[in-house]
Amino acid sequence: WHGGANGEPDLLRSCYQNSLVLAAEYGLTSIAFPCISTGVYRFPADQAAEIAVESVRAFLQTPCSIQTVIFCCFSEADRARYERLIAPLSLNL
C-alpha cells in the first residue's frame, strides 16, 4: 500500500480474479481467502474487504465449479467487516 494512487486496488482485485480463475480451471468446488494485503502491506481493511467481496461476487455471476467461498478472518473486526458485506449474499464466512 502506497496511498492508493499506484494501482493498488486493481492489483488486489486481480489477485482475487486470478485465484478464482485458477480454481475454476482446476474444477475446484471451494476456495478460501485470507484478508489479503491487510497485514504487512497495510492495505486499508475496509477497502480490501469490499474489493474481495465484489471480486468474488462478480466472478460467481458466471457459471463455474466453485460452490463455496470462505473468507478467513483473523480478528473479530475483520469478521464483522465481512459479515456486513456478505450478509445479503449466499457466500460462506
Side-chain angles (χ1 to χ4, degrees):
W1 180 257
H2 298 284
N6 295 302
E8 297 95 333
D10 291 334
L11 288 171
L12 184 57
R13 202 171 281 108
S14 72
C15 177
Y16 286 100
Q17 176 70 22
N18 292 337
S19 297
L20 290 161
V21 165
L22 282 172
E25 284 178 0
Y26 281 95
L28 301 180
T29 58
S30 65
I31 188 169
F33 291 108
C35 300
I36 299 172
S37 290
T38 60
V40 69
Y41 293 107
R42 298 179 312 275
F43 202 105
D46 286 335
Q47 187 178 358
E50 288 175 14
I51 290 169
V53 172
E54 289 171 7
S55 297
V56 168
R57 182 183 336 179
F59 186 84
L60 294 179
Q61 294 299 311
T62 303
C64 68
S65 62
I66 300 171
Q67 298 173 13
T68 303
V69 176
I70 299 169
F71 292 106
C72 300
C73 300
F74 299 106
S75 71
E76 285 302 317
D78 284 336
R79 180 184 173 98
R81 190 174 284 115
Y82 278 86
E83 283 181 337
R84 178 178 42 79
L85 291 168
I86 67 172
L89 305 175
S90 59
L91 301 176
N92 293 318
L93 181 67

